[in-house]
Amino acid sequence: MRIGGLATGMDTDQIVKDLMKAEKLPLDKMEQKKTYTEWQRDDYREINKELFDFSNSIFDGVMKQSTYTQKTVNISDPNAVSVKNISSTSDFTGSIKVNRLATAATMFGSGKITDSEDLEKPASPSAKLSDLFGIDSDQSITIKAVNKEGILEGKTLTLTEDMTLQGMINKINSETGVSMFYDPHEKVMSVTAKNTGSNKNGPEIEFSEGFLTTHLKLDTTNVIAAAADADGNAETEGKRGSLGENASFMYNGLTTERASNTFQINGFELSLKEADSDKAITFSSAPDTDKILEKIVKFVDDYNKLIEKVNGELGEKKFRDFQPLTAEQKEAMEEKEIELWEEKARSGTLRNDSVLSSAMNKMRTDLYTPISGGTSETNQLAQIGIKTSSNYLDRGKLIIDENKLKEAISKDPNAIYELFSKNGETTGEKGIARRLRDTIGSTMDSIEQKAGKLTSTNSTFTLGRNLDSIDNQMSRFQVRLGQIEDRYWRQFTAMEKAIQQANSQSSYLMQQFSM
């Protein structure tokens, strides 16, 4: 704590503060420069985020082949058969008659599973296997079932004695190719193969002998179960199970089979719902113009938003008379005044930036340079109804002639896919989307070298190193300010001492004269 002015009556503390205000002016300028550099860094990073989002939008939209394979399908009887496109790039048409739907193999137990104490009651799902069946050790079981190709696949599981009946069912259902459930009304265990279709080489469901056959009272295969009645006799077929069957149908005159009711032919998916061998169902496809159009319109909208943002930054006016506010300046202003001031102070941080200007020019070139080496005559955006706005104030925005674009989509969506996504060794051979993503990638790298990213340390990018340099300068200058302030106080203290001494001497002389 410093106290001055005892001898002189001067407000030394205020005088030193006023002197230090002048001394601190260079520090204020450094602080303003630091704030402006931080604003510039953040604005660069915001542009990089916009570029990143646009690049992802391109990849997920006009660059994907699935965008152009979207089709509308007309079916004479959608209740009997459904058809949807999966990967077919060309339109398809056909006729189908469904002779038989695919079914899954089934089987159920030959005896009842009941409560261990009351044989008339169904077994409780929460009952332990040890209590229900009197087992005192773990049980190893093997369950085999047909896969989607109609081939038998097996899985061996271990059932613990403390496992509940429902726990056993859940384990079997989650880890094997069958679905099992216990019916409390009939008190029997029922099993169904998860996949439809037949196994021409044998059963569709097969169990290992032991726990499954002894305690759950299941046959070793669904073939045996299907050939026996509820009493275990082989006289009445189908009493305790059924065989899996393939779907049988006639497609364009060819009678064939599939293990499932849902399957693919030439890139489109058929789902059989009803069997009627006398009914011929016809279907045909066409490009889904509206959905493809939607993706291309989104690309144009996203591009226009991006260049509007970047061009806005490049042309934003810089107000040199409005510098970032210091903490002391903010204290003397209202919140609204601060907001309006900083709006102008922050304006123009990226004005005429060379990296962004170069990116805008390169992106325009990417859009309008014809694609070379393609298989289609469509090699420019203008051919599908996309061109630059004639209004110079739009600064390169794209506009769409929807009628022309729809016509191009209906005619050949694959040609549009190639226009956007064609790959090549040179830029001229690449599609528009690939060119743009290359340009965006290199621009983002340049911006990152200049402004870094959120996880970057200051030493790894240009503006960060500038910020570190400013911080070092401010630290050194603050040390110097401390030394200057100490000097002022020493000088004023010396003055106080001198005046106090002069006052003492004057007082002494006055005393002498008065004697």
Side-chain angles (χ1 to χ4, degrees), residues 501-515:
Q501 187 175 6
N503 288 339
S504 297
Q505 290 174 348
S506 175
S507 177
Y508 174 75
L509 289 174
M510 290 296 292
Q511 288 177 358
Q512 293 299 318
F513 288 139
S514 65
M515 288 179 68

Side-chain angles (χ1 to χ4, degrees), residues 154-358:
K155 183 72 179 288
T156 298
L157 308 176
T158 298
L159 308 178
T160 64
E161 57 182 297
D162 291 333
M163 185 177 287
T164 64
L165 181 65
Q166 189 60 51
M168 175 200 73
I169 292 172
N170 293 342
K171 185 176 181 65
I172 289 173
N173 289 348
S174 63
E175 298 184 28
T176 71
V178 301
S179 291
M180 176 181 286
F181 84 95
Y182 174 70
D183 181 19
H185 184 270
E186 297 296 330
K187 306 182 188 69
V188 297
M189 197 66 71
S190 175
V191 180
T192 303
K194 290 180 179 178
N195 293 305
T196 57
S198 66
N199 175 16
K200 294 182 179 180
N201 297 319
E204 289 80 37
I205 303 173
E206 183 177 307
F207 293 139
S208 59
E209 292 191 11
F211 179 85
L212 295 170
T213 56
T214 302
H215 298 295
L216 300 190
K217 300 178 174 58
L218 294 167
D219 293 297
T220 53
T221 72
N222 69 297
V223 174
I224 295 174
D229 63 19
D231 297 322
N233 302 316
E235 297 174 355
T236 308
E237 186 176 345
K239 287 290 185 178
R240 286 211 312 268
S242 65
L243 303 178
E245 289 190 312
N246 288 341
S248 173
F249 58 94
M250 180 184 289
Y251 176 70
N252 288 349
L254 173 67
T255 300
T256 184
E257 292 185 357
R258 293 292 188 277
S260 171
N261 290 314
T262 300
F263 49 89
Q264 290 186 27
I265 294 177
N266 293 336
F268 60 91
E269 184 181 88
L270 288 155
S271 292
L272 310 182
K273 301 176 181 179
E274 292 180 356
D276 186 345
S277 58
D278 296 326
K279 182 192 293 184
I281 298 142
T282 59
F283 58 89
S284 62
S285 74
D288 192 335
T289 305
D290 289 338
K291 287 188 177 179
I292 298 172
L293 176 70
E294 183 181 320
K295 293 286 188 180
I296 298 175
V297 168
K298 185 178 187 306
F299 161 76
V300 171
D301 287 345
D302 289 346
Y303 174 80
N304 287 342
K305 288 176 185 176
L306 175 66
I307 67 166
E308 181 179 13
K309 170 72 174 176
V310 176
N311 284 330
E313 295 285 352
L314 289 171
E316 192 174 51
K317 185 176 180 180
K318 187 174 180 65
F319 298 91
R320 299 190 181 278
D321 293 335
F322 290 80
Q323 296 299 317
L325 296 170
T326 63
E328 291 180 357
Q329 289 171 328
K330 288 181 179 179
E331 288 177 3
M333 298 172 69
E334 298 290 337
E335 186 175 338
K336 186 63 176 179
E337 291 177 319
I338 294 172
E339 182 181 334
L340 293 173
W341 182 285
E342 290 196 336
E343 183 179 331
K344 288 190 174 182
R346 188 163 185 165
S347 178
T349 54
L350 304 181
R351 181 176 175 82
N352 296 328
D353 180 77
S354 59
V355 173
L356 298 182
S357 296
S358 175

